[in-house]
Amino acid sequence: MIPPLQRSVLVVDDEPINIQLLQKKLEWDGIHVLTANSGQECLDVCKREKPDLILLDVMMPGMDGFEVCQKLQEDESTHGIPVIFVTAHNSKQNKLAGLKVGAVDYITKPIDLEETLARVRTQLNYLAINQANVDLTQHLGEARRAAAIGALTQGIAHNLNNLLGVVMGY
């Protein structure tokens, strides 16, 4: 398991008690929690704070969770943020609709806080592993460039030594 950095999770729900429950549980686990009470506030916080993960309620007045998720996916600056839907809708059709608009997971209410925390940890670990993979790929590219430059330099030095030997021979 990759050691987690200080990760941030945005909890979005129109019911303050739901936000408080999730906030306390996540903070107890060392996760920085951001909150939003509406879909529009979620979009604003995402652009400003760039959370690592979003726990998003589906049923909210105004803009529902599906619409928020779709807008997040359409925006270049937020499309990579994973979304876990948290909702009372537990039909297969709603779950598939949520996954279709871009969610990575779907938790039904009433939520089990331990299960929710486990799912959040799983997504944060996945993000950490993905970031480590990106970093390793970047380091590998740099190492390959350095090796290519070293080989080129060695070839030039070898040719110069040969020419110098010929010159010294005359």
Side-chain angles (χ1 to χ4, degrees):
M1 183 164 92
I2 303 292
L5 304 170
Q6 179 65 29
R7 298 291 185 171
S8 63
V9 174
L10 173 59
V11 178
V12 184
D13 201 309
D14 58 321
E15 293 293 329
I17 189 70
N18 293 338
I19 291 176
Q20 290 173 351
L21 284 171
L22 285 167
Q23 184 175 15
K24 295 293 182 203
K25 186 64 176 176
L26 295 171
E27 286 177 347
W28 185 262
D29 199 56
I31 298 169
H32 177 68
V33 178
L34 305 165
T35 62
N37 297 310
S38 69
Q40 187 57 53
E41 189 178 352
C42 171
L43 296 174
D44 295 342
V45 171
C46 285
K47 286 188 180 206
R48 186 176 63 248
E49 301 289 335
K50 302 284 190 269
D52 296 299
L53 177 68
I54 302 169
L55 290 173
L56 179 59
D57 185 25
V58 173
M59 295 174 31
M60 294 184 292
M63 192 182 322
D64 70 12
F66 293 137
E67 187 179 349
V68 172
C69 189
Q70 195 166 9
K71 287 182 183 281
L72 289 167
Q73 294 299 318
E74 292 169 357
D75 187 330
E76 183 70 27
S77 67
T78 59
H79 80 274
I81 303 172
V83 173
I84 298 176
F85 279 127
V86 181
T87 183
H89 287 294
N90 62 0
S91 72
K92 181 178 178 180
Q93 182 180 0
N94 282 329
K95 289 178 184 179
L96 291 175
L99 295 171
K100 187 175 180 179
V101 295
V104 296
D105 204 351
Y106 201 98
I107 300 171
T108 55
K109 292 179 182 178
I111 63 170
D112 178 305
L113 289 174
E114 292 300 322
E115 177 186 351
T116 301
L117 181 59
R119 289 173 186 249
V120 166
R121 281 187 198 141
T122 297
Q123 287 302 317
L124 293 178
N125 283 336
Y126 174 75
L127 288 172
I129 290 168
N130 196 27
Q131 185 59 52
N133 190 23
V134 167
D135 292 345
L136 286 173
T137 302
Q138 183 180 5
H139 290 320
L140 178 61
E142 291 168 2
R144 284 182 177 163
R145 278 191 293 281
I149 290 170
L152 181 62
T153 304
Q154 186 178 15
I156 291 170
H158 178 73
N159 287 340
L160 286 175
N161 279 339
N162 284 344
L163 288 173
L164 187 58
V166 169
V167 169
M168 295 292 284
Y170 284 113

